[in-house]
Amino acid sequence: MRRFAVAGHRTVHEGESAVRRSRPLSGTRRFPIALCSALAIAVVPSTHALAAPESPPQTRQNCPDIAFIGVHGTDEVAGESSVINETYETLKGKLNSGTTIEKVSIDYGKIRLQDYFNLFRADEWNAKISKGVDEIGTVVTDYFKACGNTTRFAFSGYSSGAWIVDKYLADAAGTRILDKVDGVALYGDPQENGTAAKGIARVGAWGIKTAVAPLPAARLGSDRVKSFCLPADPVCGGAGTQTGAADHRLELAAACAVTPACTHKQYAPGATAKGGEFLAGLVRRNLLPHIVKTVMYQEGSLIYISVYFTDPRGNAEGFGFKGVKGSGWAEENHTFSDPSYGRVKLGTANSTSRIDYPFNHDCGGARQYESDVEFWITTETGARSQSIVKHLKCS
């Protein structure tokens, strides 16, 4: 995998199927340094541009379908996080060969875990968190300017990187940017705010209480966000690290800094495989046509299947079907321009399309029967949507 620096701060890693950037990304803006108080530090507000152009023209050729934005964790540097890298490799491996993806590693510097518990270093790591937020904003804005609505986004953050993703998405609330985010996978998030787990950034001691609310799931919907917190991970408040009055999260997290076997350092490869698969499912759903509903109705001896689908890329070209579970329908594939006996009503990229196709079951006749049919939508490259299987039965 090749690596090249961009704009002095970000590092872009090219996957084997990635498309190299055709131009440098713009520079970044600086932040004021936060001042720490005795017990609580507030993350410096980000000043990055969040408002994407309303209808940005595409000025770059070969824009990727997906920009994977990875943010490394505490005690790591950009591009060398096994958690982020393995999430990306799993995601890329689960996509169709025709899907293009670029990986961008956000470089906010290196934060040592023990520095979170050192008030004299608070202004330093606090500024790095804000720098990471600003870097993401610059990357996303540059994609909007260069690629218009072509490129969508997948985010992944580990440890302090998850915190940075949290903060960026909080700042982006209410903007069109969130509409372009397919999914978010987080690991060992200090901002964790689950029912059982509360991260160390939500513990009011040692100057680390800088919680951002709400978390990404509240802004994007839980179907687009998955936050992994392993049991016994003190950074995200995993099971066993908080026991009422005897709350051990902070002391365990501090010890984790010098303990290689600490659970916080065990997200790769197990959780990362799940995170990559989670993102891949969301990316496929938004890139390929997606069947959202089916309805069956009868006309004389025929049973029609009405298949409703979305086509976010505008590249759906046809449909196909075959008999399953012992049914004898031979596989057929048709285009929308020549749908055989089908009835086609195409929408736009932002609306639902529909194909109705008849199957002769001799309804009301002496040879009336039942069958099972698998149905899918195809794209101009031959890729298929998810399949649906329907049982056909005369009414």
Side-chain angles (χ1 to χ4, degrees), residues 30 77 121 134 243 343:
R30 298 292 184 179
V77 295
R121 305 297 296 272
D134 190 55
T243 56
R343 303 168 179 170

Side-chain angles (χ1 to χ4, degrees), residues 321-332:
F321 60 83
K322 65 179 180 180
V324 294
K325 300 180 181 180
S327 299
W329 303 105
E331 180 171 330
E332 295 185 26

Side-chain angles (χ1 to χ4, degrees), residues 32-36 41-44 122-124 126-127:
I33 296 178
L35 298 176
C36 62
I41 308 291
V43 171
V44 180
D123 57 345
E124 180 181 326
N126 194 18

Side-chain angles (χ1 to χ4, degrees), residues 132-191:
V133 174
D134 190 55
E135 290 286 348
I136 295 178
T138 301
V139 168
V140 171
T141 299
D142 284 348
Y143 270 114
F144 265 99
K145 290 180 179 178
C147 297
N149 292 317
T150 297
T151 300
R152 299 183 63 84
F153 301 95
F155 287 90
S156 185
Y158 165 50
S159 193
S160 52
W163 185 343
I164 288 170
V165 173
D166 288 337
K167 177 61 176 162
Y168 171 76
L169 293 174
D171 289 353
T175 71
R176 291 178 57 246
I177 289 172
L178 297 189
D179 295 336
K180 304 293 287 184
V181 177
D182 282 347
V184 179
L186 305 175
Y187 307 92
D189 188 357
Q191 296 279 356

